[in-house]
Amino acid sequence: NNQGIDNNLTFHLYAPEKQEHFIRTSGILSSNQWCHLAAVSGPAGMKLYFNGLLAGTDPYTGSFAAITERQGSFLGHSSWDDPAHTDEDFQGQMDEVRVGGVERTAEQIRAGMSQRMTGREPGLAALWNFENVENGVVKDAGPNGIPGILVGNAKTVEAPLPQTPA
């Protein structure tokens, strides 16, 4: 997430024991600039990649799979339900959201940054590419068929593919 209105980026995981683990980068985001983000969690710890480069780590070895108490997961909207938090909704575009069931290396992340996925790649758990949307439901092109729902002002639009950052 991007807390508040600054240009910092944070990757949070809340462990089952109610402990917060996070990676926070400073000044990494820029307005009107496409970027590729990859968040990794698991036995090798948490890692956050920005445009294919490691931006930060945390030694926590848990993963998304260990999170059992959930009210929902959001893309572009804060999970905080507390007036004290001033997180704004995401003002931008997302081209593709991928969830893997296995940890990918930095080399694999860089190699796949600009590649379109089909949904049949090994280790893929979910893929929302926003190309198959009906009545506000984004179909999961991955093997598990987990639907996403557009809420608020979210919408899909045709846009050219961004150029891969240098």
Side-chain angles (χ1 to χ4, degrees), residues 14 20 30 33 54 57 62 75 85 94 104 106 108 110 115 120 139 149 159 163:
Y14 295 92
E20 177 184 14
S30 297
Q33 290 276 318
L54 185 63
T57 64
L75 299 171
H85 290 88
M94 291 182 207
R104 299 183 71 205
Q108 290 170 317
R110 280 192 295 277
Q115 302 296 316
R120 295 182 295 279
K139 298 208 175 174
I149 300 170
Q163 297 297 313

Side-chain angles (χ1 to χ4, degrees), residues 13-14 16 41-43 60-67:
L13 272 181
Y14 295 92
S41 67
Y60 178 62
T61 59
S63 71
F64 292 112
I67 302 169

Side-chain angles (χ1 to χ4, degrees), residues 23-151:
I23 300 166
R24 181 168 290 130
T25 62
S26 298
I28 201 165
L29 298 173
S30 297
S31 294
N32 301 313
Q33 290 276 318
W34 180 89
C35 66
H36 179 274
L37 301 174
V40 177
S41 67
M46 294 170 54
K47 297 178 186 82
L48 179 62
Y49 292 88
F50 182 81
N51 290 337
L53 300 175
L54 185 63
T57 64
D58 181 280
Y60 178 62
T61 59
S63 71
F64 292 112
I67 302 169
T68 56
E69 289 184 39
R70 297 166 55 119
Q71 297 298 318
S73 296
F74 304 97
L75 299 171
H77 178 72
S78 177
S79 295
W80 292 107
D81 189 18
D82 179 352
H85 290 88
T86 59
D87 297 343
E88 298 275 335
D89 284 347
F90 177 66
Q91 304 293 316
Q93 296 178 345
M94 291 182 207
D95 180 51
E96 188 172 81
V97 177
R98 309 165 180 182
V99 175
V102 296
E103 182 174 342
R104 299 183 71 205
T105 66
E107 293 77 23
Q108 290 170 317
I109 290 168
R110 280 192 295 277
M113 277 176 36
S114 298
Q115 302 296 316
R116 283 278 189 211
M117 293 187 128
T118 65
R120 295 182 295 279
E121 290 77 9
L124 186 68
L127 170 66
W128 298 277
N129 57 20
F130 305 100
E131 292 177 10
N132 195 351
V133 180
E134 291 180 25
N135 300 319
V137 176
V138 181
K139 298 208 175 174
D140 174 9
N144 293 306
I146 303 164
I149 300 170
L150 299 176
V151 296

